[in-house]
Amino acid sequence: MQMDSSSLTGRKPAMNPMQIWNMSFGFLGIQIGFELQNGNVSRIFQTLGAQVDELAILWIAAPMTGLIIQPIIGHMSDNTWGRFGRRRPYFLIGAILASLALFIMPNSPALWVAAGMLWIMDASLNITMEPFRAFVGDNLPDRQRTRGYAMQSCFIGIGAVIAGALPWVMTNWMGLSNTAPAGQIPQTVQWAFYIGGGALLLAVMWTVFSSKEYSPEQIAAFEKARHEALGIVPQPVSTVRRLAGQFFMGGLVWIVIGAAFAAFILYARGDPRPEWLGEIEVAKELHVLAGLIAAFGVIQIAAGFLRTNEMDDNGFMEVVNDLFAMPRTMRQLAVVQFFSWFAMFALWIYGTPAVTDFHFAAPDPTTQGYQDGADWWSLMGSVRNGLAAAAALGFVLIAAKIDRRMLHSLNLAIGAVGFALMIVIRDPALLWVSQIGLGIAWASIVSLPYAILAGSVPARKMGIYMGIFNIFIVVPQLIAATLLGFLLSAFFDGQPIYAMAIGGVSFVLAAIATLFVTDGASAVREMQERLAETQ
């Protein structure tokens, strides 16, 4: 379905609250899926025999999938237009696959099956989620984008509340067992995933069939009129093209760094071990990080080869070109995203083992105490995300009155306090206090950076740039998956609660980096509002 173009003027029309509601509602289901994954996958892994120091590397499937999938889906959705629109076909296909994965995941008979299902589940959720970010940028004018992303953030919070509460509710209200024989997933987790899979599909279908889209021609016309009204002379997209020699040189440097790092890991893990390392154990998982560094070099070498042979007209080269031609605001936000999502991944991987060990003194997943602690942490996720939903609605009003950079920086600093309280508070009943700060930060992370970004990228490349932007969500997760286990074992005697301290420091760094971001979207929005007032 296409937006009616009969009444379109030069400026992109504002959407009414119900239209914004409909186009954002699918995120309710997406977040139910993500929260069930984030809150229960470590629990499933431990139940199937994984040790705490193995969790990070088992989680690596999720960010690795996002790194590959999101730019590809962004590029494909930018270049899709048909009977079912531009972004919505990807919503529906991803939702169907993700729902199937949610039905299968809690029935995994072995650890390797669960790890594989995590890979499939995360790929499917990414297929659905990435176009949703571009959907807001496509349909809403600059002045409404903060509202649109805040509405998504609100549904993210509500969906996470539902998903986080499901295991606890089924244990305490419905009487289902939250324990099972060794190697089997409890009934509460199984039914939570079944319900979540159904909710995910229904919510995304609501958006697919209740929303419309502008055609590529309409979007181009809006962008042209916007530039004319503001007196902007747009620059051709991707005019800055790296030379083949630059690709070859950059690729060689990254490959050498990756190889040197891998050689160091082999040396540090050799027999005999270097005496200067003392008690520090260099984790074998760091080889993954070395491989990622080298892989980025290989990508640049491949791009150099294609450029040399004038084979530039393909999706791979478009993604690589756009990666190196990112707007300044996007590059600045990449730093913010890196530290923000590193912190969140620490929370998702180690939240359950931290609470069950530190607050419930029950690190053994076969015990009742561990399962009670895991249910309580899942419930705390509902508290955190309920606060995030409320905070997101507040951002709609606050962001119109103060600098969005200052607001985001403040929210991240509040989140750092929430991480600190996870360590200070010992009584599990009081953990909700720490979730206030974490909920505010989470609502900000999933809304304000996207609102800032949407006004700084070309409209016709909204999908691919949103996909590239999500690389800076995925990369810190990959680094966290390979580095956190090493940091905990080397410096904190393997105690998972100190992953919360690492997360707090990372939030502080993100808050500082936010202050250096150029919010071009705010300037455009203010100019448009002034123009509207004079008409």
Side-chain angles (χ1 to χ4, degrees):
M1 291 186 292
Q2 177 177 325
M3 294 278 197
D4 181 12
S5 61
S6 60
S7 61
L8 295 183
T9 62
R11 297 174 69 232
K12 187 182 294 183
M15 298 183 74
N16 64 48
M18 193 65 206
Q19 289 174 312
I20 297 175
W21 171 283
N22 287 337
M23 67 184 288
S24 303
F25 188 74
F27 240 108
L28 174 74
I30 294 172
Q31 192 57 33
I32 288 175
F34 269 120
E35 187 64 21
L36 285 170
Q37 172 182 293
N38 296 337
N40 295 278
V41 166
S42 286
R43 179 182 189 175
I44 290 173
F45 284 163
Q46 286 189 283
T47 300
L48 293 174
Q51 302 301 310
V52 170
D53 60 0
E54 296 174 328
L55 290 177
I57 197 63
L58 286 170
W59 267 85
I60 201 169
M64 182 72 77
T65 304
L67 182 65
I68 298 169
I69 290 292
Q70 294 202 15
I72 294 173
I73 295 300
H75 170 73
M76 291 174 64
S77 67
D78 277 343
N79 293 280
T80 294
W81 182 254
R83 178 182 176 186
F84 297 104
R86 190 184 194 190
R87 315 292 183 187
R88 288 171 298 142
Y90 298 93
F91 300 167
L92 187 59
I93 292 170
I96 292 171
L97 295 175
S99 296
L100 291 173
L102 284 165
F103 295 150
I104 297 171
M105 177 75 168
N107 295 294
S108 300
L111 183 58
W112 69 269
V113 176
M117 288 311 306
L118 173 60
W119 194 297
I120 295 171
M121 186 191 309
D122 203 79
S124 304
L125 289 170
N126 274 290
I127 291 171
T128 304
M129 183 192 73
E130 197 285 328
F132 258 99
R133 297 297 192 187
F135 197 43
V136 171
D138 289 344
N139 286 357
L140 293 179
D142 288 330
R143 62 191 181 279
Q144 284 193 309
R145 281 173 178 162
T146 298
R147 181 177 301 175
Y149 286 113
M151 182 64 74
Q152 281 192 354
S153 183
C154 180
F155 279 122
I156 286 171
I158 295 170
V161 168
I162 295 170
L166 278 173
W168 187 89
V169 166
M170 283 185 287
T171 298
N172 293 275
W173 292 1
M174 300 178 64
L176 295 179
S177 174
N178 67 350
T179 60
Q184 296 185 23
I185 311 302
Q187 280 186 312
T188 52
V189 176
Q190 291 179 329
W191 278 101
F193 275 63
Y194 300 155
I195 294 170
L200 166 63
L201 185 58
L202 291 174
V204 171
M205 288 178 64
W206 178 278
T207 289
V208 169
F209 293 109
S210 67
S211 298
K212 298 181 180 180
E213 297 184 70
Y214 291 116
S215 70
E217 293 77 18
Q218 289 173 299
I219 290 175
F222 285 136
E223 189 76 352
K224 180 180 178 181
R226 171 176 175 264
H227 288 154
E228 290 175 352
L230 297 173
I232 298 173
V233 179
Q235 298 298 315
V237 178
S238 294
T239 54
V240 181
R241 289 159 55 93
R242 283 169 65 88
L243 300 174
Q246 292 176 303
F247 277 126
F248 285 129
M249 180 60 67
L252 181 61
V253 169
W254 282 87
I255 290 172
V256 169
I257 293 172
F261 187 32
F264 167 76
I265 297 168
L266 288 173
Y267 163 71
R269 290 180 55 82
D271 187 15
R273 293 181 70 254
E275 294 183 2
W276 59 271
L277 282 174
E279 298 299 320
I280 297 176
E281 183 68 28
V282 176
K284 61 181 180 298
E285 289 81 4
L286 291 177
H287 280 296
V288 176
L289 182 56
L292 291 171
I293 294 170
F296 185 55
V298 171
I299 289 171
Q300 293 185 67
I301 295 292
F305 174 81
L306 292 174
R307 176 132 303 157
T308 299
N309 291 276
E310 298 183 351
M311 301 166 63
D312 286 17
D313 189 17
N314 56 74
F316 172 79
M317 285 302 295
E318 184 174 358
V319 171
V320 175
N321 284 334
D322 290 337
L323 176 63
F324 283 97
M326 289 187 298
R328 181 176 63 170
T329 297
M330 188 172 175
R331 294 196 301 270
Q332 294 166 336
L333 283 170
V335 179
V336 177
Q337 293 292 85
F338 177 89
F339 289 113
S340 299
W341 287 89
F342 187 93
M344 292 307 303
F345 213 56
L347 183 72
W348 293 333
I349 294 176
Y350 289 103
T352 297
V355 169
T356 54
D357 180 25
F358 188 74
H359 298 93
F360 281 79
D364 186 350
T366 64
T367 63
Q368 182 71 49
Y370 175 93
Q371 298 298 338
D372 289 342
D375 280 350
W376 186 250
W377 177 241
S378 183
L379 185 62
M380 288 300 97
S382 290
V383 173
R384 177 174 67 254
N385 288 291
L387 291 163
L393 294 178
F395 294 163
V396 174
L397 301 175
I398 298 172
K401 299 179 180 179
I402 68 173
D403 189 309
R404 289 185 295 196
R405 298 171 307 154
M406 297 298 296
L407 177 59
H408 190 51
S409 181
L410 175 62
N411 292 337
L412 291 170
I414 293 172
V417 174
F419 268 119
L421 290 175
M422 287 281 293
I423 302 173
V424 173
I425 295 172
R426 295 302 299 261
D427 184 354
L430 296 177
L431 277 176
W432 65 269
V433 178
S434 66
Q435 304 311 297
I436 296 174
L438 293 171
I440 291 172
W442 175 235
S444 195
I445 289 168
V446 295
S447 58
L448 293 182
Y450 293 96
I452 294 171
L453 175 69
S456 69
V457 300
R460 74 178 183 87
K461 284 183 170 286
M462 189 68 70
I464 195 168
Y465 269 120
M466 286 295 177
I468 290 173
F469 190 56
N470 284 328
I471 290 175
F472 304 108
I473 294 173
V474 171
V475 169
Q477 293 182 36
L478 287 169
I479 294 175
T482 56
L483 196 58
L484 279 172
F486 163 71
L487 292 176
L488 290 179
S489 62
F491 301 107
F492 300 105
D493 196 29
Q495 298 182 58
I497 190 62
Y498 289 105
M500 307 301 104
I502 296 171
V505 172
S506 193
F507 262 174
V508 169
L509 295 174
I512 295 170
T514 303
L515 300 176
F516 295 92
V517 172
T518 302
D519 187 356
S522 288
V524 170
R525 181 189 63 190
E526 291 168 6
M527 292 177 67
Q528 285 194 321
E529 289 173 348
R530 287 198 297 271
L531 286 170
E533 291 171 359
T534 62
Q535 293 177 352

